[in-house]
Amino acid sequence: MRLPKDKTVIVERHNKVVYDCGDLVVKVFNGNKPSADIFNEALNLARAEQAGIDVPELVEVGKVGPSWAIATKKVEGKTLRQLVEEDPSNERIDEFVALELMVHSHKNALLNRQKDKYTRMINSLGDDVLSESIRYDLLMRLDGMPNHNKVCHGDFVPSNIIMREDGTACICDWAHATQGNGAADCATTYLHLRMRGNADRAERYLKTYVERQGCSMAYVQSWMSIVAAAELARGRAKDQDYLLSMIDVVDSY
């Protein structure tokens, strides 16, 4: 895969750089990113599209030098995060929640199962992060949660939603997608908003979600410890203290 000389950086993270390459958007991962993760993200994108969700069109999976990359067709528009930053008086929470519930209304039986993913992530934590007894209690709690098969994005935040001028939305970045319980996906979004410094917005989002979905606040909150533990497996040191504070299991040993 070749990148044009006139490319511009859209966003840079610790493990990737996303480039605007004219008609394409190319996400280039660092050399340590396992190839299996890149192909899984591309497969998730294809399966979300197969489910009927508006997503960027996958063009190519290849290498840029030693690094794996994913190319998609560029979607013209602004992210929901950009629109809110331009007009902070309009948080567009109702619209945001409606889009998340739209995603949850779809199904694809070929996506990885949410419970399986959370189990792997929690099991990957060492005793220096969570004790064995706490991991066991969390896994028992996870096993007892209701089984659903909704499409769950796994990182549903305003920066991953592109709003076109005609008002339609395109959902991006499907690296963490699974099939599972929408309340767990809501808990993930809540935690991500909190970790990105949007505490008040996170509370308004959660209140709106439970009202629109028709579930109880307690039901979503019952997922918080599980999701927080799974998020610890991502190894983001700056978020560790907050995530640990969200885990309500007490070590009994």
Side-chain angles (χ1 to χ4, degrees):
M1 189 184 302
R2 290 182 176 272
L3 299 183
K5 292 182 179 180
D6 58 348
K7 64 185 181 299
T8 58
V9 175
I10 298 174
V11 65
E12 188 169 358
R13 298 281 188 258
H14 72 284
N15 64 344
K16 65 190 175 189
V17 182
V18 183
Y19 296 99
D20 181 334
C21 298
D23 293 334
L24 299 178
V25 170
V26 180
K27 185 185 298 187
V28 181
F29 300 88
N30 67 30
N32 297 324
K33 187 77 169 176
S35 58
D37 289 354
I38 282 77
F39 282 97
N40 183 66
E41 179 173 342
L43 192 56
N44 285 346
L45 176 62
R47 286 174 172 166
E49 181 180 30
Q50 184 183 45
I53 300 170
D54 190 337
V55 302
E57 182 180 339
L58 179 64
V59 175
E60 182 181 357
V61 178
K63 279 196 166 184
V64 176
S67 301
W68 284 100
I70 297 175
T72 56
K73 283 193 176 180
K74 184 166 71 175
V75 178
E76 297 292 349
K78 294 183 178 180
T79 67
L80 199 58
R81 178 180 177 178
Q82 289 173 314
L83 292 172
V84 172
E85 288 175 346
E86 290 173 3
D87 182 11
S89 66
N90 182 10
E91 292 187 309
R92 305 177 74 142
I93 290 176
D94 284 340
E95 186 176 8
F96 179 61
V97 170
L99 287 168
E100 186 170 24
L101 292 175
M102 176 276 296
V103 170
H104 294 167
S105 73
H106 292 79
K107 296 180 181 180
N108 189 315
L110 297 175
L111 283 167
N112 291 328
R113 294 191 177 277
Q114 186 183 66
K115 282 190 174 183
D116 292 344
K117 182 171 184 176
Y118 287 162
T119 297
R120 289 192 299 270
M121 295 175 79
I122 293 171
N123 275 329
S124 74
L125 297 171
D127 291 344
D128 58 325
V129 179
L130 283 182
S131 70
E132 182 179 359
S133 64
I134 290 179
R135 295 197 304 272
Y136 175 81
D137 287 345
L138 287 168
L139 292 172
M140 291 300 98
R141 183 181 300 185
L142 173 61
D143 187 61
M145 299 300 277
N147 292 312
H148 292 175
N149 58 352
K150 299 176 181 180
V151 172
C152 293
H153 185 275
D155 189 15
F156 197 83
V157 293
S159 58
N160 284 333
I161 302 167
I162 299 175
M163 303 300 300
R164 302 183 183 90
E165 287 191 3
D166 65 3
T168 58
C170 183
I171 315 299
C172 307
D173 197 352
W174 289 85
H176 308 299
T178 58
Q179 56 171 316
N181 195 306
D185 212 26
C186 171
T188 303
T189 295
Y190 172 83
L191 291 177
H192 285 193
L193 290 173
R194 288 293 305 263
M195 290 186 293
R196 295 175 191 190
N198 298 318
D200 291 341
R201 189 178 300 167
E203 297 300 331
R204 287 190 288 274
Y205 155 76
L206 182 57
K207 182 175 183 292
T208 302
Y209 182 92
V210 299
E211 288 175 351
R212 293 285 297 269
Q213 174 59 23
C215 62
S216 69
M217 186 75 72
Y219 182 56
V220 176
Q221 290 173 336
S222 69
W223 281 97
M224 289 292 179
S225 290
I226 295 167
V227 172
E231 288 292 317
L232 281 170
R234 303 195 191 284
R236 301 186 186 111
K238 65 183 181 64
D239 299 322
Q240 182 166 312
D241 288 345
Y242 173 72
L243 291 171
L244 288 171
S245 74
M246 296 298 293
I247 297 173
D248 63 6
V249 176
V250 178
D251 194 341
S252 57
Y253 295 93

